[in-house]
Amino acid sequence: MRTPAATVGVIGGGQLARMMHAASIGLGLRLRLLAEGPDVSAAQVVRDVTVGDYTDPATVAAFADGCDVVTFDHEHVPTRILHDLETAGIAVRPGPEALVHAQDKAVMRARLRELGVPCPVNEVVPDAAALVTFGDAHGWPVIAKTSRGGYDGKGVWKLDGPEQAGVPFEGLDGLRANAVVIAEEYIDFTRELSALVVRRPGGQAVAYPISETVQTDGICTATTTPAPGLRPDQVRDLQAMALRIAQELGVVGVLAVELMQRADGSVVVNELAMRPHNTGHWSIDGAVTSQFENHLRAVADLPLGSAALRAPVSVMVNVLGGSRTDLLGGLAEVLAADRAVKVQLYGKDVVPGRKVGHVTALGEDVGDVTERAWRAARMLMGDDDE
Amino acid sequence: MRTPAATVGVIGGGQLARMMHAASIGLGLRLRLLAEGPDVSAAQVVRDVTVGDYTDPATVAAFADGCDVVTFDHEHVPTRILHDLETAGIAVRPGPEALVHAQDKAVMRARLRELGVPCPVNEVVPDAAALVTFGDAHGWPVIAKTSRGGYDGKGVWKLDGPEQAGVPFEGLDGLRANAVVIAEEYIDFTRELSALVVRRPGGQAVAYPISETVQTDGICTATTTPAPGLRPDQVRDLQAMALRIAQELGVVGVLAVELMQRADGSVVVNELAMRPHNTGHWSIDGAVTSQFENHLRAVADLPLGSAALRAPVSVMVNVLGGSRTDLLGGLAEVLAADRAVKVQLYGKDVVPGRKVGHVTALGEDVGDVTERAWRAARMLMGDDDE
């Protein structure tokens, strides 16, 4: 490939690809999109769009032909297709050996155990009886997860007792064929954190400040950056852990490490993601270099940019589909009410609970900034009575 | 039209349209482009591109059909085509009555005189003899300008004495048919300034901090924002003047007022532009809301955003085509040398002197920031010996 890469292929046409495109324009990179449909979020704004099925090897091969590098809006491209691309001489970033850790939670848990990274006690369970044995040994409730195909709270179950042990195995049928069930210790966490890093092929890496994230029904709904109440040494330790995982797994691009923090301050890893991540959306407005720009710089093998804060506090709140369907009308209200709030709309039809945009407020005082961000998000959702 | 506008047509496919597109993505607006060719700067990055001639009424009418509003990358669309669009019910912003002041310097000078805005002494001169009379009355050198069709230093002549009085009339043949020659008093300015404001249809307006601009051979090559050495009352007066011109002329969108400042601090207006302007590029990184976002918000009739600074000093330097043709290689060097510098590349082939991108550095100290921005720009130009 040419170094740095000039044409970046992105598989998947969601809002992550859409926001990557906005970041690609200034870098002078050519973004090429493989989209699920002609008018999905990113396809509305990118010049060079192929509509096709990312699970079809011939479609992906034709799309990738002419790209200097291929990267992703999501983690669902089958590993064998990615190996085919590499065999054909196309750079794939992150590569399939790294990406499998974001695709398969069983592989991820095994690898993190090898690395000594703190995780909930966990075990692959072949059937309900094994799950009951796990629960009786480690205590109930138990968290059960499908190893593949889960997202935004789907494919995760909290099981209160042995009588519910069959549930995840029923749920599995609707998910990936090659998925297994993982039983995990229930962590009584007080809050969730995200450690987001970006790594370049040669190993150069940057770590963003740690974010506190609010999850509602398994969906990230808000982040505060930097996470309040962390000591500087805790921040450094969490960043170092995420950088180490990125290096050991050979990640290129963004790695988001989702963490659960207990009352005593200790953390365990919940999930890994290898693409720009909802917990890093604040960086578009709140960091010197956004996660989208740094992801592109990483996969194109360009030097990474500063991940430093541009304001003391950034609060991002997701706009989920609510009672308001007229987002542009909502936007006019939001912009009239707050001259400094930043809005990203994703070009999606409003469906209840669907992520259709996000807002970011910046400032000095975490209370004020949080209130501004939520007020703007509520105006866009139409849930003023919340 | 729908209010706010959802589909924004942009006539002209240069870098201004390209950077408008980047700003449109977060707002959820659909940008539709009328481009001079299939691979011009903005056409590389926008989904919905029509390739056609903006001077052909049928082409523009077909393009505008379905747009909620039409705006511009440049000021060269014939007035009668814009009137046709308005007659057909398409909003044109800025409208033809305002835009003519940016298209025709004779109209602009006459209107600013009516408003009592300080300008060089000036007069439309029908022939060389009249120009000599003007020069003998007001002193040599004389600045002669074509009223229409000039840009980036073209169509402007500095005439040292009566023996050169024929030059602008020869030059006129290559420019617009309906152009006349304006003779203007030579202003012995010490520096140039830019007052950039944005106005919405209902009259809401914001003023950016005043920029100092460096022009080289009539091309803007660098800006420093805020302009050093202005007193707060001078800043307020210049912003008030620009806001008043925008209101009196009925501008919607960006109005850039280019100013010449004399040694005694007094200013005169040099030019008006009614579109995002080179002297406002710093605002992408240095202001809470960029000129591109505010231009779109204005033409879509959305409330305008804060024009406040995000850093004490922003320095923007244009990247002009130089000895380096491999811009992506230059980008890698620039990003390696400075982790916080921001780069915009325009997707253009390198031609000597052509604007192919710009860089912006932000910081506390004007000397440091200036040095960082110029160093980055020189790396991209390949003129390290300058």
Side-chain angles (χ1 to χ4, degrees):
Chain A
M1 68 173 276
R2 283 176 286 181
T3 300
T7 301
V8 178
V10 180
I11 299 182
Q15 65 265 27
L16 302 180
R18 181 181 173 104
M19 291 185 275
M20 264 188 239
H21 182 54
S24 75
I25 292 174
L27 295 171
L29 302 175
R30 299 268 186 146
L31 200 133
R32 193 172 184 187
L33 189 72
L34 180 59
E36 301 78 3
D39 202 47
V40 296
S41 181
Q44 296 166 21
V45 300
V46 174
R47 173 63 162 166
D48 185 359
V49 178
T50 301
V51 176
D53 177 2
Y54 62 80
T55 66
D56 176 59
T59 299
V60 177
F63 164 75
D65 185 33
C67 293
D68 294 306
V69 61
V70 167
T71 190
F72 311 98
D73 169 81
H74 59 69
E75 290 139 346
H76 306 316
V77 182
T79 300
R80 98 195 118 71
I81 291 183
L82 302 180
H83 281 297
D84 289 350
L85 292 182
E86 289 192 326
T87 304
I90 309 283
V92 176
R93 293 175 176 163
E97 279 79 8
L99 194 61
V100 68
H101 299 93
Q103 295 175 316
D104 191 311
K105 293 179 178 43
V107 176
M108 179 268 283
R109 286 294 185 219
R111 186 80 174 102
L112 293 186
R113 183 182 303 136
E114 282 175 18
L115 295 175
V117 171
C119 289
V121 175
N122 65 88
E123 192 177 305
V124 171
V125 285
D127 53 31
L131 201 157
V132 170
T133 304
F134 179 92
D136 289 346
H138 300 286
W140 299 91
V142 164
I143 300 297
K145 294 178 176 174
T146 175
S147 61
R148 285 180 172 261
Y151 67 97
D152 277 356
K154 294 181 181 63
V156 179
W157 301 268
K158 183 183 172 192
L159 309 174
D160 292 323
E163 68 286 357
Q164 296 179 313
V167 172
F169 298 93
E170 295 155 20
L172 209 59
D173 297 339
L175 297 162
R176 296 299 167 102
N178 53 352
V180 295
V181 172
I182 307 164
E184 294 193 348
E185 169 195 12
Y186 174 78
I187 302 291
D188 188 20
F189 61 86
T190 52
R191 63 171 175 173
E192 294 184 78
L193 301 171
S194 174
L196 196 143
V197 299
V198 190
R199 186 175 173 272
R200 205 178 155 197
Q204 189 205 356
V206 296
Y208 283 86
I210 305 298
S211 299
E212 177 177 322
T213 88
V214 177
Q215 311 276 127
T216 308
D217 300 330
I219 298 176
C220 168
T221 51
T223 66
T224 302
T225 311
L230 286 180
R231 296 189 312 270
D233 63 301
Q234 290 177 304
V235 171
R236 278 196 301 273
D237 287 350
L238 295 177
Q239 289 176 324
M241 179 176 75
L243 289 167
R244 180 168 166 253
I245 295 171
Q247 184 185 326
E248 293 286 350
L249 270 47
V251 177
V252 174
V254 168
L255 170 71
V257 181
E258 297 181 49
L259 301 159
M260 296 181 281
Q261 187 178 38
R262 299 187 188 91
D264 67 1
S266 65
V267 299
V268 293
V269 171
N270 191 12
E271 309 277 355
L272 301 183
M274 294 184 195
R275 47 170 172 74
H277 192 251
N278 202 158
T279 60
H281 287 358
W282 67 272
S283 64
I284 296 175
D285 304 293
V288 172
T289 313
S290 80
Q291 66 163 346
F292 297 99
E293 180 173 340
N294 262 338
H295 183 78
L296 288 169
R297 283 160 72 157
V299 303
D301 203 8
L302 286 164
L304 302 179
S306 165
L309 295 169
R310 297 199 65 184
V313 181
S314 297
V315 173
M316 185 284 316
V317 179
N318 274 349
V319 179
L320 304 178
S323 59
R324 173 156 219 155
T325 54
D326 165 31
L327 286 180
L328 207 53
L331 179 63
E333 286 179 27
V334 166
L335 300 180
D338 188 333
R339 283 164 36 103
V341 76
K342 306 305 287 185
V343 179
Q344 289 280 330
L345 296 179
Y346 302 158
K348 292 182 165 183
D349 290 332
V350 172
V351 173
R354 183 187 208 187
K355 291 175 183 172
V356 295
H358 73 259
V359 301
T360 305
L362 310 174
E364 306 274 336
D365 178 78
V366 67
D368 288 350
V369 175
T370 302
E371 187 179 318
R372 283 174 53 213
W374 275 102
R375 187 178 59 170
R378 286 201 179 103
M379 277 187 196
L380 283 161
M381 294 190 270
D383 297 326
D384 292 328
D385 53 340
E386 261 189 37
Chain B
M1 67 174 275
R2 282 176 288 181
T3 302
T7 301
V8 178
V10 179
I11 298 181
Q15 65 264 28
L16 303 180
R18 181 181 173 103
M19 292 184 274
M20 263 189 241
H21 183 54
S24 76
I25 292 174
L27 295 171
L29 302 176
R30 300 269 186 144
L31 200 133
R32 193 171 186 190
L33 189 72
L34 180 59
E36 300 77 2
D39 203 47
V40 296
S41 180
Q44 296 166 20
V45 299
V46 173
R47 174 63 163 164
D48 185 0
V49 178
T50 300
V51 175
D53 176 2
Y54 62 81
T55 65
D56 176 58
T59 299
V60 177
F63 164 75
D65 186 32
C67 292
D68 294 307
V69 61
V70 167
T71 189
F72 311 98
D73 169 82
H74 59 67
E75 290 141 342
H76 306 316
V77 183
T79 300
R80 97 196 118 70
I81 291 183
L82 302 180
H83 280 298
D84 289 349
L85 291 182
E86 290 192 326
T87 303
I90 309 284
V92 177
R93 292 172 177 168
E97 279 80 9
L99 194 62
V100 68
H101 299 92
Q103 295 174 315
D104 191 311
K105 293 179 177 49
V107 175
M108 180 267 284
R109 286 293 184 220
R111 185 80 175 102
L112 292 186
R113 183 183 303 137
E114 281 175 19
L115 296 175
V117 170
C119 288
V121 175
N122 66 88
E123 191 176 307
V124 171
V125 285
D127 53 33
L131 201 157
V132 170
T133 304
F134 179 93
D136 289 345
H138 300 286
W140 298 90
V142 163
I143 299 296
K145 293 178 177 174
T146 174
S147 62
R148 286 179 172 262
Y151 69 97
D152 277 357
K154 294 183 182 62
V156 179
W157 302 266
K158 183 183 174 194
L159 309 174
D160 290 324
E163 68 285 359
Q164 295 178 312
V167 173
F169 298 93
E170 295 156 21
L172 208 60
D173 297 339
L175 298 160
R176 296 299 167 99
N178 54 352
V180 296
V181 172
I182 307 166
E184 295 193 348
E185 169 195 13
Y186 174 77
I187 303 290
D188 187 20
F189 62 87
T190 52
R191 63 171 176 173
E192 293 185 78
L193 300 171
S194 173
L196 195 145
V197 298
V198 190
R199 186 174 173 274
R200 207 180 153 198
Q204 190 205 355
V206 295
Y208 283 86
I210 305 299
S211 297
E212 176 177 321
T213 88
V214 177
Q215 312 276 129
T216 310
D217 298 330
I219 298 176
C220 169
T221 51
T223 66
T224 301
T225 312
L230 286 180
R231 295 189 312 270
D233 63 298
Q234 289 178 305
V235 171
R236 278 195 302 274
D237 287 350
L238 295 177
Q239 289 176 324
M241 180 176 74
L243 289 167
R244 178 167 166 254
I245 295 171
Q247 183 185 325
E248 293 286 350
L249 270 47
V251 177
V252 174
V254 168
L255 170 72
V257 181
E258 297 181 49
L259 301 158
M260 296 182 280
Q261 187 178 39
R262 299 187 189 92
D264 66 2
S266 65
V267 298
V268 293
V269 172
N270 190 12
E271 308 279 354
L272 300 183
M274 293 184 195
R275 47 170 173 74
H277 192 251
N278 202 156
T279 60
H281 288 357
W282 67 273
S283 64
I284 295 176
D285 304 294
V288 171
T289 314
S290 79
Q291 65 163 347
F292 297 98
E293 180 173 340
N294 262 337
H295 184 77
L296 288 169
R297 283 160 73 157
V299 303
D301 202 9
L302 286 164
L304 303 179
S306 165
L309 296 167
R310 297 199 65 183
V313 180
S314 297
V315 173
M316 186 284 315
V317 178
N318 275 349
V319 179
L320 304 179
S323 59
R324 174 156 218 153
T325 54
D326 165 30
L327 285 181
L328 207 53
L331 180 63
E333 286 180 27
V334 166
L335 300 180
D338 188 334
R339 284 167 32 104
V341 77
K342 306 305 288 185
V343 179
Q344 290 280 330
L345 297 179
Y346 302 159
K348 293 182 165 183
D349 290 334
V350 172
V351 173
R354 185 187 206 188
K355 291 176 183 171
V356 294
H358 73 261
V359 301
T360 305
L362 310 174
E364 307 273 335
D365 178 80
V366 67
D368 288 350
V369 175
T370 301
E371 186 178 319
R372 286 174 52 214
W374 275 102
R375 186 178 60 172
R378 287 199 180 102
M379 279 189 196
L380 283 161
M381 293 190 272
D383 298 326
D384 293 329
D385 53 339
E386 260 189 35

